[in-house]
Amino acid sequence: MRAEKGEYHISRADVYAHRKGIIFAVVMPGMLNRRFEYEASFITAVADCSEALRGQLYLAATRSYMGNDNKLIFRTSQLPDFYRIPVVATGDVHYHHPARRDLQDVLTCVREKCKIQEAGFRLHQNAERYMKEVAEMKRLFRKYPSTIYNTMVISEACNFSLDELKYVYPE
């Protein structure tokens, strides 16, 4: 209600006030600094969130196939030692099957109001953002088996059905 249509204004206080029954995953930055660490300001923000969302917060490790996955996942895997935040294996999923990559690109162009020939770096760099089989995720995160376990814990906590969706018209 604080924002114009198509915009949003949400604060950490808003999130904390409505956290009951929600599981949160921090999407980690896709780059490290020159010392191969996450920026201190990001780590501070994660530490603040961990205090307010204890037991509901996870760090999301993703293989993006951009060349720095091993460094990123290694650094992410070290954070639970300091902040007691478990790490989950994720796929940064945008579509259910690799064949849907073209549709994802078209939707990106609609959102960005551009032609596919002009989209360039607005599109994902590869077609790996699809839902992978459990065996493939276990292979990708074989050095970090707890990430798969934590992902399964979250999966088992989810009890949602699309049948539950109903449109609520504004008054």
Side-chain angles (χ1 to χ4, degrees), residues 16-170:
Y16 300 159
H18 300 284
R19 71 181 182 263
K20 185 177 179 185
I22 299 175
I23 297 171
F24 297 88
V26 175
V27 177
M28 306 303 285
M31 297 183 69
L32 301 171
N33 63 22
R34 288 188 289 175
R35 294 184 310 268
F36 297 105
E37 299 172 346
Y38 288 114
E39 292 295 338
S41 59
F42 175 76
I43 297 301
T44 300
V46 169
D48 291 345
C49 288
S50 75
E51 288 298 316
L53 303 172
R54 177 102 26 228
Q56 296 173 263
L57 185 67
Y58 292 82
L59 304 174
T62 301
R63 292 219 176 259
S64 64
Y65 299 91
M66 297 303 298
N68 61 350
D69 290 343
N70 290 333
K71 292 174 190 168
L72 289 168
I73 294 172
F74 174 74
R75 282 297 185 204
T76 301
S77 73
Q78 292 180 316
L79 294 176
D81 296 339
F82 301 106
Y83 301 104
R84 297 185 185 149
I85 307 170
V87 180
V88 295
T90 67
D92 190 22
V93 173
H94 288 251
Y95 36 92
H96 73 288
H97 189 274
R100 295 306 220 175
R101 163 73 188 277
D102 292 342
L103 177 59
Q104 171 65 34
D105 290 349
V106 169
L107 291 174
T108 299
C109 291
V110 169
R111 184 186 70 238
E112 297 290 329
K113 299 176 179 70
C114 68
K115 296 178 183 174
I116 194 82
Q117 299 88 343
E118 302 164 353
F121 290 115
R122 292 176 257 195
L123 303 177
H124 293 299
Q125 298 88 340
N126 57 53
E128 291 295 329
R129 288 173 170 79
Y130 66 94
M131 294 182 79
K132 295 176 177 62
E133 297 287 334
V134 173
E136 177 65 1
M137 291 299 286
K138 285 181 178 179
R139 185 187 71 75
L140 292 172
F141 289 91
R142 66 185 167 274
K143 290 183 181 177
Y144 307 97
S146 65
T147 64
I148 299 296
Y149 173 80
N150 292 331
T151 302
M152 298 305 283
V153 167
I154 292 174
S155 175
E156 290 170 9
C158 297
N159 54 7
F160 171 76
S161 168
L162 290 175
D163 295 333
E164 296 175 33
L165 290 178
K166 293 183 176 40
Y167 186 75
V168 178
Y169 293 93

